[in-house]
Amino acid sequence: MRLVASEARIDAWAAGEEALAHGDWASAKASFESILTEAPEEPRALDGLSIALSMLPDTRSARETRERAYVAHRQRGDARGAAAAAIFVALGYRIWQANDAAAEGWLARAERCLDGIGPCSERGALEVELAKRSREPAVAESHARRALELARELGDPDLEIAALSQVGVALVRSGQWEEGMALLDEAMAVAMGGEATGTVVICDTCCQTLVACEQIADLRRATEWCRVVVDFSDRRRFTPMHGWCRAIYAGVLASTGEWERAERELLDSLRWYEQGLRGMGDRVIPLARLAELRLRQGRPEEAARLLEGYEEQPQALVPVVRLRLLRGELGASADLIERRLDALGPDVPEVAALLELLVDVRLAEGELDAAEVVAERLDELATALRRDNLRALALLAAARVGLARDDAGAVSKLEAAAELFMLLDMPFEEGVACLELAQAFAGDRPGLAVEEARRSLSLFERLGAARKADEAAALLRSLGAQGRTAVRAETLTRREQEVLALVAEGLTNAEIAARLVISDKTAGHHVSHILRKLGLRNRAEAAAYALRQAAGPASEAP
């Protein structure tokens, strides 16, 4: 009987490890729990279970399970296993509970476990965690470099990418952006290329890289790595992002037009916060980014609901003010932005979005001189940081000020902005620039106006930006040109119309299936039939179409 149990445990262990490697957290959890049914304090099973729980996420259970693992390792005399468990628990207290005192205590315990033990991966992991906790970049770099030396001495690729990314982050924090990002690029290459195997360290490397990209407004690098991450996710069947990084990942996806995937990541990020994540900011970050996405989609009422109760939060300032601009309710928006700019300082890349927004607010107020000063500040920032995405935003802002002043050079700036947005793969901003070009050309160059309006309409419809698409279509009608080919909803069956309405709400096939009490496969067939019948390419276009239908015949082409 014992032999059967042992063989079953070996099989369950292999299945759990395989599930972890492929990001199948639920299967990993089930496998390790089956081992613990027979051997409740098996430390390696507790280790594996804690990883699966942390990714599901069930962060409280993950921490408590790893605390049990620590005790079990100690009882078996496994100092290295106990140290690894203590480091994991310290990380959990730091990130999930924002409890620095408890984290410090567990790190001290990990160090105690390693007393008298020579070079080992656990020692390197401790140095990595100390680097993450260090407030001074030079101290963080010193810890990370010690971990890197250990990783190369031991030939441990997982430890190497963890250490590389921390050295990179420390250099970025100290202002050595190029050198720091080069190390993060190297770490990502190892993480995404298959040399590293630890799912936790792969996820952490992705998070560190995208956070660093956002800190220095390096959209190009973030976009390129996001494409690699998307491919990795499809191959490995999991997204290598923790909850607190998914909002950043989603922001990059939204910028490059991957709105459907961006929405999924934001909803997953919110799910992490609902599970009790406390350490890395607040759920206002994914909420604010989802609100910004809703505004781009032309769904301001939903954006307003998302922002309820968070209007005073600094992280929500951009979508809150954009909503006010849309409603024509500026209030003290300019003062709020200026206060936030003062708090951040002049050279922080984060101020770019605020400066762009402040230009629009000043223009809405009729304060052209003030708007011009802000546009110049944005241009100076773009030049100092050498970021093409900021340069494109600066050109757009300057063009808007120029158009308000009837400046003949404004159109050339708009054209340059549209071209740069296209090269950067920023389709929404490209569409906005094209639409403003069409409006500028409408008076005396109607042929060019039609071309630019059609270009913007195509971009907005592909994205699912319903209100902007309607603006472009209305401009085309005013110019005597046909914008859309009207498609009638009557071609859909009653069930397909129900499914289309749910697609417009942002529901997945599984959620549609649950709502209509049908199978996932049937829901998928309905969505495919809808896209084919309406001549649409994706769910975003279907959602935009449904919203136009709900708005009535005014949005149809003549």
Side-chain angles (χ1 to χ4, degrees), residues 433-448:
C434 291
L435 179 56
E436 293 183 22
L437 270 174
Q439 292 163 343
F441 287 142
D444 55 357
R445 304 172 76 179
L448 281 177

Side-chain angles (χ1 to χ4, degrees), residues 158-242:
D158 285 352
L159 178 57
E160 183 178 15
I161 67 168
L164 270 175
S165 63
Q166 286 310 307
V167 175
V169 166
L171 291 172
V172 169
R173 287 171 58 197
S174 66
Q176 302 174 68
W177 299 345
E178 290 83 359
E179 186 180 349
M181 293 310 301
L183 292 177
L184 284 162
D185 286 345
E186 183 182 351
M188 282 291 286
V190 178
M192 298 288 97
E195 187 177 349
T197 58
T199 53
V200 173
V201 75
I202 289 171
C203 291
D204 190 60
T205 300
C206 290
C207 289
Q208 298 288 348
T209 301
L210 288 188
V211 168
C213 286
E214 176 159 278
Q215 287 173 343
I216 63 172
D218 195 341
L219 181 63
R220 178 194 61 78
R221 180 181 262 107
T223 300
E224 290 171 355
W225 277 123
C226 275
R227 289 176 180 144
V228 176
V229 169
V230 167
D231 178 65
F232 177 92
S233 301
D234 291 341
R235 284 187 287 110
R236 294 284 293 271
R237 295 179 296 170
F238 79 95
T239 300
M241 293 286 156
H242 295 300

Side-chain angles (χ1 to χ4, degrees), residues 392 395-396 412-424 426 429-435 437 452 455 459:
L395 283 167
L396 182 60
S412 64
K413 290 177 181 175
L414 261 183
E415 290 175 324
E419 181 73 13
L420 197 46
F421 285 133
M422 181 185 70
L423 293 174
L424 291 166
M426 298 174 68
E429 287 80 4
E430 180 189 352
V432 168
C434 291
L435 179 56
L437 270 174
E452 294 295 344
R455 179 179 166 190
L459 287 164

Side-chain angles (χ1 to χ4, degrees), residues 516-538:
L516 299 179
V517 197
I518 57 179
S519 70
D520 291 5
K521 187 174 182 180
T522 300
H525 284 320
H526 282 313
V527 172
S528 297
H529 293 160
I530 290 166
L531 296 179
R532 179 178 53 77
K533 285 184 177 182
L534 299 181
L536 304 173
R537 287 170 290 186
N538 52 46

Side-chain angles (χ1 to χ4, degrees), residues 92-105:
Y93 273 114
R94 175 174 64 84
I95 292 177
W96 303 327
Q97 300 299 318
N99 188 329
D100 286 338
E104 290 285 359

Side-chain angles (χ1 to χ4, degrees), residues 271-490:
R271 185 166 60 89
W272 274 73
Y273 283 96
E274 288 166 2
Q275 293 292 328
L277 191 64
R278 290 291 180 268
M280 300 297 289
D282 189 90
R283 70 195 298 263
V284 66
I285 298 172
L287 279 174
R289 298 206 173 187
L290 186 55
E292 288 188 62
L293 181 58
R294 291 288 182 256
L295 289 171
R296 289 186 169 208
Q297 291 169 327
R299 297 155 71 175
E301 295 79 11
E302 292 178 50
R305 286 197 294 272
L306 288 167
L307 295 168
E308 284 178 3
Y310 296 93
E311 293 87 352
E312 304 302 319
Q313 293 289 327
Q315 299 95 328
L317 182 58
V318 170
V320 166
V321 174
R322 289 204 188 282
L323 192 59
R324 290 181 182 179
L325 270 173
L326 187 63
R327 294 171 169 174
E329 303 169 353
L330 295 179
S333 294
D335 291 337
L336 290 171
I337 296 173
E338 291 284 11
R339 185 174 69 182
R340 180 63 176 158
L341 288 169
D342 289 341
L344 291 170
D347 300 323
V348 181
E350 185 182 344
V351 307
L354 294 167
L355 291 173
E356 180 203 5
L357 183 57
L358 185 55
V359 170
D360 292 341
V361 171
R362 291 302 191 193
L363 289 174
E365 293 174 336
E367 298 287 344
L368 301 190
D369 290 342
E372 185 171 9
V373 169
V374 178
E376 289 170 356
R377 289 169 63 187
L378 180 55
D379 182 66
E380 290 168 2
L381 180 68
T383 301
L385 297 177
R386 304 189 303 279
R387 296 284 177 262
D388 285 342
N389 50 304
L390 300 188
R391 178 63 182 157
L393 293 174
L395 283 167
L396 182 60
R400 286 171 173 167
V401 175
L403 289 170
R405 291 189 181 280
D406 293 324
D407 182 352
V411 168
S412 64
K413 290 177 181 175
L414 261 183
E415 290 175 324
E419 181 73 13
L420 197 46
F421 285 133
M422 181 185 70
L423 293 174
L424 291 166
D425 194 18
M426 298 174 68
F428 182 79
E429 287 80 4
E430 180 189 352
V432 168
C434 291
L435 179 56
E436 293 183 22
L437 270 174
Q439 292 163 343
F441 287 142
D444 55 357
R445 304 172 76 179
L448 281 177
V450 168
E451 290 301 316
E452 294 295 344
R454 282 179 174 158
R455 179 179 166 190
S456 67
L457 177 61
S458 174
L459 287 164
F460 291 139
E461 288 196 321
R462 176 168 61 85
L463 289 168
R467 291 200 173 204
K468 283 296 182 183
D470 287 343
E471 285 183 41
L475 179 58
L476 283 166
R477 289 196 298 273
S478 73
L479 294 167
Q482 182 172 325
R484 297 188 177 108
T485 301
V487 184
R488 300 298 174 185
E490 287 76 18

